[in-house]
Amino acid sequence: MGDITVVPVWIIQDIIVLIAAVLMVFYILDKETHPKTVLLQFIGFVFFYAAVFEITASSLGEGFYAYGRSILMLFNIPITVPIIEFLIIYSTLRVLKSVNIPSWTKPFITGLSAMVFDFSLDPVAVKQIFQTTDGLMARWTYYPLAGEPQIYGEPVMNFTGWIYIAGYWTIFILIGEWWHKKKGYSKSIGYIYPFLAAILSLACMFSPLSNFFNYMGPFFERTSNMQWVMLITLSVITIGILALAFIKFWDRKVNYSITPKKRFSYHVYFCGVPPGQYYILHYRRFHGSVVAGRSGPDLIIARLDWNLHYG
């Protein structure tokens, strides 16, 4: 782990994510039927699933990635990284719970939602370049293998990965919620299943199954174009299941309102983030990357940049 670099833009971004997390906690306490269990889902996901994987991956060097070091770090990752990942998945699942669709479709739809968010967020994160104690560093820097298929300087499989990262968690959380309900909402089950879901999701992440989704490993090499094939294949499958869920299975009834007043967090995550990232990305197409020492419009955009996520 290197020394912390005080970069105002990164600090502002961390603060924005933490504010969003606090709002989410208040929402959970106010709206969820079993708020303690949902808060344990938050803890389990952040500290026992996403953070463990992110810390491991960002320690492996070539073929993986690293984060610029700000003041709010959990070992070698910003603590706000796993937090925003949970915010995206949680808000997606809450929207899906407002409609009557089969549970088996939800891991696919949640994975698709996470991937779409990543396509709007990662291009910004890799452009946020500053001079740090570790040298010239982006907020999130990938080190692809030579000859590896890439999008925005990242391996194609990075975007595919969001489908199964969110999908694994959604599968085990839905099973846990079913188990909790079946046992009459037993407190002990409610305390246990969020952490079991985290452990099982992490086991899947480190299993050969993930590389099969990435590039059909071990049948093909990571540097092959199977990364493109798997990204396209999983995208088509998840989009198809999304269409099937809402065209064939949905009964056109809504279980509860998702108006801005009642479901404010949904509109923050789904409406506020991607358009802002799209604007910033296209602004930079004409004005270049953000680098320490720059001033004027780029610095203003940097302060609005990357509203809820690092990559």
Side-chain angles (χ1 to χ4, degrees), residues 24-81:
M24 181 201 66
V25 169
F26 281 116
Y27 172 84
I28 289 171
L29 293 172
D30 182 50
K31 302 295 184 182
E32 291 285 357
T33 307
H34 304 282
K36 291 181 181 178
T37 300
V38 178
L39 289 176
L40 288 177
Q41 291 181 16
F42 176 45
I43 293 170
F45 180 94
V46 170
F47 294 102
F48 294 89
Y49 177 35
V52 174
F53 177 76
E54 292 279 357
I55 290 168
T56 302
S58 59
S59 302
L60 296 177
E62 185 180 8
F64 292 90
Y65 52 83
Y67 290 96
R69 295 187 54 77
S70 188
I71 61 172
L72 298 172
M73 302 293 292
L74 181 63
F75 295 98
N76 53 343
I77 68 167
I79 183 59
T80 42
V81 168

Side-chain angles (χ1 to χ4, degrees), residues 66-143:
Y67 290 96
R69 295 187 54 77
S70 188
I71 61 172
L72 298 172
M73 302 293 292
L74 181 63
F75 295 98
N76 53 343
I77 68 167
I79 183 59
T80 42
V81 168
I83 290 176
I84 192 59
E85 291 172 357
F86 181 82
L87 290 171
I88 292 170
I89 296 171
Y90 172 73
S91 58
T92 303
L93 280 174
R94 287 298 297 168
V95 169
L96 294 179
K97 287 180 180 179
S98 71
V99 294
N100 295 316
I101 59 175
S103 294
W104 67 264
T105 66
K106 295 177 181 179
F108 295 95
I109 298 172
T110 305
L112 176 64
S113 171
M115 183 188 68
V116 169
F117 266 84
D118 202 38
F119 266 111
S120 73
L121 300 170
D122 277 4
V124 176
V126 297
K127 295 290 187 180
Q128 280 198 330
I129 303 170
F130 290 88
Q131 187 64 47
T132 74
T133 54
D134 296 319
L136 199 62
M137 190 84 175
R139 189 58 165 131
W140 186 65
T141 304
Y142 219 111
Y143 306 107

Side-chain angles (χ1 to χ4, degrees), residues 61-65 115 118-119 122 126 140-162 164 214-215 222-224 226-228 231:
E62 185 180 8
F64 292 90
Y65 52 83
M115 183 188 68
D118 202 38
F119 266 111
D122 277 4
V126 297
W140 186 65
T141 304
Y142 219 111
Y143 306 107
L145 298 179
E148 188 169 17
Q150 298 177 31
I151 305 175
Y152 302 123
E154 310 160 36
V156 171
M157 70 179 195
N158 175 70
F159 298 97
T160 311
W162 273 74
Y164 60 77
N214 283 336
Y215 50 87
R222 174 173 164 174
T223 52
S224 73
M226 286 306 296
Q227 285 198 33
W228 284 108
L231 174 62

Side-chain angles (χ1 to χ4, degrees), residues 291-311:
V291 179
R294 295 191 68 169
S295 58
D298 272 348
L299 184 56
I300 295 172
I301 291 297
R303 291 184 180 276
L304 298 174
D305 198 353
W306 193 82
N307 296 329
L308 291 176
H309 183 61
Y310 301 120

Side-chain angles (χ1 to χ4, degrees), residues 147-267:
E148 188 169 17
Q150 298 177 31
I151 305 175
Y152 302 123
E154 310 160 36
V156 171
M157 70 179 195
N158 175 70
F159 298 97
T160 311
W162 273 74
I163 296 176
Y164 60 77
I165 288 171
Y168 292 154
W169 172 257
T170 303
I171 289 170
F172 293 118
I173 279 299
L174 291 177
I175 292 173
E177 290 177 346
W178 169 82
W179 183 28
H180 192 206
K181 181 179 180 180
K182 183 179 176 65
K183 295 299 182 180
Y185 296 106
S186 162
K187 287 186 178 181
S188 59
I189 301 299
Y191 294 154
I192 291 171
Y193 88 75
F195 298 101
L196 285 177
I199 293 168
L200 291 171
S201 298
L202 189 64
C204 289
M205 280 297 297
F206 288 121
S207 75
L209 185 61
S210 294
N211 278 338
F212 179 82
F213 290 141
N214 283 336
Y215 50 87
M216 287 194 73
F219 305 108
F220 293 88
E221 297 294 327
R222 174 173 164 174
T223 52
S224 73
N225 283 324
M226 286 306 296
Q227 285 198 33
W228 284 108
V229 172
M230 294 307 291
L231 174 62
I232 294 169
T233 300
L234 292 178
S235 297
V236 169
I237 290 172
T238 52
I239 292 170
I241 290 174
L242 171 66
L244 186 68
F246 283 91
I247 294 173
K248 180 177 175 59
F249 295 119
W250 184 33
D251 59 9
R252 304 302 186 269
K253 295 179 181 179
V254 178
N255 297 327
Y256 47 78
S257 171
I258 54 173
T259 59
K261 182 177 180 181
K262 294 185 177 181
R263 309 292 169 189
F264 173 74
S265 60
Y266 301 165
H267 296 267

